[in-house]
Amino acid sequence: MIAVLIDPDKASDSQLDNLVFHPNFDQVDFLFVGGSLVTDGNMKICLQGLKKRTDKPLIIFPGSPNQIDDTADAILLLSLISGRNSDLLIGRHVESAHKLKRSGLEILSTGYILVDGGRTTTVSYISGTTPIPQDKPGIAAATALAGCQLGQQLIYLDCGSGANQHASPRLIAAVKNEVDVPIIVGGGIKTKEDAESVFRSGADVVVVGNKLEENPNFLTELVKAKEAFAEA
Ligand code: 1GP
């Protein structure tokens, strides 16, 4: 499946139009909305803009509790299990638990694993956590397994937005072999070959943000990668 990540701080009307009215948009499965740093108020404006344009599932990908907004359909309730920042493992969740319950959003409990994408990304800087090195697939697999044993329903392997490289095939495959839950992979996917390699290695959902902001026609390449994998 394909998820497009939308940064509410960058989502102008024309950017949303370019995405939603693209001829291949019907092949997009989910819209993830959020980020490590989002200006107050922009989340709602962005979600309302998307709601007006499409019926696709809108899923919040929150960097902080102020991004919870019931205009969306669901939320990836992220626990940053590759890090040891207690706030991002449980603290923020406690602070937002009642707000989240009242929102009525579908909650998708997600083990979020940050992987080294070759540069310091906003998410690693803001979270103050060290990503798992690409050459340590065993650590990634054990981390994902622990997340599932704690009851997480999804695993998100992320190199962070704008990463130089995406999670390696070896690391994705190691995680895939260890757990039965769906695996979301994002960060640094910039070519059709990247997307194909990530699908082939075991990703159930491929997430692209930056590349589609730069060039909405990359959606055509992404769809070809999804179709090539589906036919194989
Ligand atoms: C980041 O996985 C997402 O959290 C998407 O990353 O912007 O690099 O595609 P990109």
Side-chain angles (χ1 to χ4, degrees):
M1 289 179 275
I2 294 175
V4 176
L5 174 64
I6 298 169
D7 177 345
D9 276 359
K10 296 191 202 154
S12 61
D13 278 342
S14 63
Q15 196 212 331
L16 297 186
D17 285 345
N18 287 340
L19 175 68
V20 170
F21 301 119
H22 190 281
N24 292 114
F25 183 70
D26 60 326
Q27 293 291 320
V28 171
D29 298 282
F30 308 106
L31 296 169
F32 289 177
V33 188
S36 302
L37 276 179
V38 174
T39 309
D40 261 354
N42 281 354
M43 182 58 127
K44 188 171 275 308
I45 294 169
C46 181
L47 288 168
Q48 287 173 339
L50 285 165
K51 261 262 139 81
K52 266 196 317 208
R53 291 170 170 85
T54 175
D55 292 333
K56 299 272 183 202
L58 303 181
I59 302 179
I60 298 176
F61 175 56
S64 58
N66 69 350
Q67 294 177 33
I68 295 171
D69 190 301
D70 62 8
T71 314
D73 301 298
I75 183 166
L76 295 178
L77 186 61
L78 306 171
S79 187
L80 206 173
I81 56 177
S82 58
R84 300 296 178 264
N85 179 336
S86 58
D87 243 9
L88 302 176
L89 283 162
I90 183 65
R92 303 271 177 88
H93 311 69
V94 173
E95 286 166 24
S96 53
H98 285 110
K99 180 179 178 186
L100 193 51
K101 185 176 180 185
R102 278 194 307 273
S103 75
L105 289 165
E106 182 182 351
I107 296 174
L108 304 165
S109 168
T110 305
Y112 183 73
I113 298 178
L114 195 55
V115 177
D116 187 0
R119 58 180 290 226
T120 304
T121 55
T122 306
V123 58
S124 63
Y125 180 79
I126 294 284
S127 66
T129 65
T130 309
I132 295 179
Q134 291 274 6
D135 64 351
K136 303 285 181 200
I139 297 180
T143 304
L145 181 59
C148 292
Q149 289 168 342
L150 284 166
Q152 284 154 353
Q153 305 160 266
L154 300 165
I155 292 293
Y156 195 142
L157 292 175
D158 199 359
C159 283
S161 206
N164 290 342
Q165 69 207 56
H166 59 79
S168 71
R170 203 167 138 236
L171 188 141
I172 298 169
V175 171
K176 183 72 179 177
N177 283 336
E178 199 67 76
V179 301
D180 295 326
V181 301
I183 299 176
I184 305 168
V185 179
I189 295 167
K190 297 183 279 256
T191 65
K192 176 168 163 266
E193 291 68 31
D194 287 344
E196 276 174 1
S197 152
V198 167
F199 274 126
R200 254 199 321 273
S201 312
D204 297 283
V205 181
V206 167
V207 189
V208 176
N210 265 290
K211 185 66 196 184
L212 284 168
E213 279 170 19
E214 274 166 42
N215 174 18
N217 288 326
F218 180 60
L219 192 52
T220 307
E221 302 299 300
L222 204 50
V223 166
K224 280 187 198 156
K226 170 175 152 171
E227 287 170 350
F229 177 71
E231 284 159 15

